[in-house]
Amino acid sequence: MEEHLLEQFGDRHDVPGRYQDWKQMIAEADLDIVSIATPTFLHAPMAIHALEAGLHVLTEKPMAQSGEAAAAMVEAAQRAGRVLDVSFNHRQRGDVAALHEVVESGVLGSLYYAKAGWIRRQGIPGLGTWFTKAESAGGGALMDIGIHMLDMALHLMGEPDVLAASASTHAEFGPLGRGGTNVSISEVEENVPFEVEDLATAFLRLDGGGTLLLESSWAQWIPYDLCYVTLYGADGGATIEWGGDAQHPHRKLTVWTEVAGIPAELQPVAGPDGHHAAAVGAFAQKVRAGDATAHDGSLALRRARIIDACYASAAAGAEVAVQP
Ligand SMILES: NC(=O)c1ccc[n+]([C@@H]2O[C@H](COP(=O)([O-])OP(=O)(O)OC[C@H]3O[C@@H](n4cnc5c(N)ncnc54)[C@H](O)[C@@H]3O)[C@@H](O)[C@H]2O)c1
């Protein structure tokens, strides 16, 4: 592990207890909560151990490398009566909050279709690290960034159940060593095969007849990175979008509907973005509220099972039911 970063961070925040071993930290540091931001395959063992030691847990997305591991985390939270939360920080964006209010106001009518995506031109994280190994990451672009868009779309649509997935995955860049970006601080290992996808698309059937289309890519021949969620309702449509290159970033939030029978395009005013700090604040509020039963990680588990169904569908070449 990165001893120099431990010291830098510890000095900057005046942290008295500094540990190389996470089990020792949980045993000795007299903690109330723990935040887990390690490689994905470690989220479940670390969270379960911490919950069993009586701590509340905030873990990074994706919750775990599989629905099975995520389910074990939820069971541990329920047994321990502690809060288990997953950091879906992008839903703390100002435009997401504003669009959520638009949906709640009923302006769009009942939502029957949505499209969401995060597509990168060149953004495979940590080529040759845990990020691109199937066992440690559980998946590629869908698991890593598609999960944020899935979370936002379901949140904005009012949490419909996802019944089935039909998905496909591709790996056109990673296996050739192309499309990488240097964001992981983990050590690059020699000759690590690229075992996950760099592009995934999914057609998700929603309870009540609705549809959600999801696309995620770490690398693709496109002009610039783009994120979007577009909602289609009986009485209106709306989109949030952000992306662009460093010189020309753009973001928009637009609603199309009718006002007094007149077709109208509205641009709701969005508040400031919340980022990670807001996700941590939301977790702290859940802990303080003391209602662990309402915050046992079940919502994130539903997302993990949807991702499972997408990968199973891509492997089978057929639609797959999502485990309820
Ligand atoms: N919410 C977000 O927007 C967001 C953004 C980036 C990463 N993440 C998630 O955070 C997690 C980590 O991603 P990253 O980009 O920081 O990875 P990274 O490879 O850059 O860093 C991983 C860290 O985990 C540490 N680590 C590895 N094994 C450990 C162990 N046994 N005990 C203690 N520490 C250990 C490493 O030393 C390193 O500091 C992933 O699950 C990723 O999906 C979330």
Side-chain angles (χ1 to χ4, degrees), residues 60 62 68 118 170 236 277:
E60 267 308 326
E68 192 185 356
W118 183 334
H170 305 266

Side-chain angles (χ1 to χ4, degrees), residues 1-2 38-40 43 60-62 89 130 148 184-186:
M1 258 161 291
E2 307 82 6
T38 51
T40 300
H43 296 181
E60 267 308 326
K61 55 44 67 178
N89 46 303
W130 68 270
H148 278 302
S184 172
I185 60 172
S186 292

